[in-house]
Amino acid sequence: EWDQLYSNFNSDFRPSLGDGQVWDFQVANPRKSKGKIYFDGIEQIPMGYRIVLVNMMNNNPVDLRGMEEYAYATVSSTMRFKLIVGTKTFVDREVSFLMPKKFDLVQNFPNPFNGSTSISVKLPNQADIRVVIYNTLGQRINVLADGQFPEGVHTFLWNGTTSAGLPVGSGVYFYSLVSGGNIVQTKQMLLLK
């Protein structure tokens, strides 16, 4: 339905589903508040097809059968998604293309930043990881993630605060991906206030 409050609208008409189709779309949320996507008409898709939503900032596939909404944490002002509909073989193949092939710590975005920034890690398999923020003296400032995470992309939001919730000053900070007690990668970022 058209909503006069929001000015962006898009439609996509395709002649046939065949083995499957993939739709790429974005949701803008400049306030970075929690988001929800509502689905209507899923029951009209034949039962032989799978319906999977992939949040590209946290690409664990979500089966949409029986769901009317998908809630997510907004870690960027524009969130990218893929909707994959098709046979099990088609959906599994498309999802496998999205899975990382190696451990990777992605450069934070935006950088430099004021307020908050997103930090993504790519995991080729399930792993016990930590994402740690350090100052230029090597002191641990905050831990954004600590625990077991499944294969895929995981994005964490850092709002420029310490573990105690206190704001940090402008300057250069480092963030590391730690797995199995070893630092896998470290990158730097710049906070400007």
Side-chain angles (χ1 to χ4, degrees):
E1 293 181 21
W2 183 258
D3 188 335
Q4 296 297 323
L5 183 60
Y6 302 101
S7 59
N8 292 332
F9 180 79
N10 193 359
S11 61
D12 183 353
F13 297 95
R14 300 185 187 191
S16 170
L17 193 54
D19 284 342
Q21 297 275 344
V22 178
W23 289 267
D24 294 292
F25 65 96
Q26 297 180 0
V27 177
N29 187 345
R31 294 179 311 231
K32 295 185 185 175
S33 57
K34 291 186 179 186
K36 280 187 184 180
I37 302 172
Y38 296 92
F39 299 93
D40 187 28
I42 287 180
E43 69 283 351
Q44 296 175 21
I45 296 173
M47 290 305 293
Y49 290 106
R50 291 182 62 205
I51 308 160
V52 171
L53 180 69
V54 179
N55 176 340
M56 298 305 289
M57 299 297 258
N58 180 2
N59 69 355
N60 296 320
V62 176
D63 184 353
L64 294 179
R65 283 274 180 209
M67 292 180 68
E68 293 182 0
E69 66 182 43
Y70 169 73
Y72 61 94
T74 303
V75 294
S76 176
S77 58
T78 302
M79 299 287 292
R80 293 182 10 217
F81 295 89
K82 282 189 183 285
L83 179 64
I84 307 169
V85 179
T87 63
K88 180 180 181 340
T89 303
F90 178 86
V91 171
D92 288 348
R93 184 181 72 233
E94 292 297 319
V95 168
S96 73
F97 292 150
L98 302 175
M99 291 298 138
K101 306 303 181 232
K102 64 177 186 153
F103 279 93
D104 192 21
L105 181 63
V106 179
Q107 184 63 52
N108 67 301
F109 181 81
N111 187 37
F113 71 99
N114 179 350
S116 66
T117 190
S118 298
I119 297 172
S120 296
V121 296
K122 296 180 179 181
L123 306 177
N125 48 45
Q126 181 174 319
D128 190 22
I129 65 164
R130 294 180 79 194
V131 177
V132 185
I133 310 287
Y134 299 95
N135 64 16
T136 55
L137 299 175
Q139 299 166 322
R140 186 174 67 203
I141 300 297
N142 205 331
V143 177
L144 301 183
D146 187 6
Q148 194 76 228
F149 289 84
E151 169 190 27
V153 177
H154 304 278
T155 303
F156 308 98
L157 191 65
W158 185 47
N159 59 0
T161 62
T162 66
S163 296
L166 301 171
V168 298
S170 295
V172 174
Y173 291 88
F174 297 91
Y175 58 102
S176 295
L177 171 61
V178 179
S179 182
N182 299 316
I183 294 178
V184 176
Q185 248 179 323
T186 299
K187 298 206 180 229
Q188 74 176 37
M189 58 186 160
L190 179 59
L191 171 59
L192 298 175
K193 291 189 174 185

